[in-house]
Amino acid sequence: QVQLVESGGGLVQAGGSLRLSCAASGRTFSMRTMAWFRQAPGKEREFVAAIRWSTGLTDYADSVKARFTISRDNGKNTVYLQMNSRKTEDTAVYYCASHTKWYYTHREADYDDWGQGTQVTVSS
């Protein structure tokens, strides 16, 4: 359906910033929602942020709101996650995902397409 490739992960100092990118290809994106999830070692995958492709409306997890910003570039078919004020608790593998539902959802099972993930490590 849709192929998703994440990039931009790496090591960053606590308090620093990092931007992740998710390049999408395949079917039309106009009616899709794009999202970021993350999974830390020994923990379940959790929702981070989402953006409606057609309108740009966003949805954030409480744990990252005011620190992270999700955005899109329609011309490049790319979704970004700007991460500011990074904390060690943000260390995880970050995944890009998408679905075609007409509402916001934080449920992993509701998402149709997933990227391979990119590792983000925040040092103290």
Side-chain angles (χ1 to χ4, degrees), residues 2-15:
V2 176
Q3 293 75 50
L4 305 173
V5 180
E6 303 97 334
S7 62
L11 177 66
V12 64
Q13 296 292 122

Side-chain angles (χ1 to χ4, degrees), residues 23-72:
S25 61
R27 296 181 182 273
T28 180
F29 311 112
S30 61
M31 300 303 295
R32 286 183 174 270
T33 295
M34 308 296 294
W36 289 95
F37 285 74
R38 67 184 182 185
Q39 186 169 24
K43 297 183 178 180
E44 296 184 348
R45 193 170 300 182
E46 65 174 347
F47 172 83
V48 176
I51 185 168
R52 186 69 175 177
W53 195 268
S54 60
T55 64
L57 269 59
T58 58
D59 181 31
Y60 294 94
D62 290 340
S63 61
V64 304
K65 192 174 181 64
R67 296 192 299 121
F68 292 6
T69 302
I70 187 170
S71 61
R72 76 198 192 289

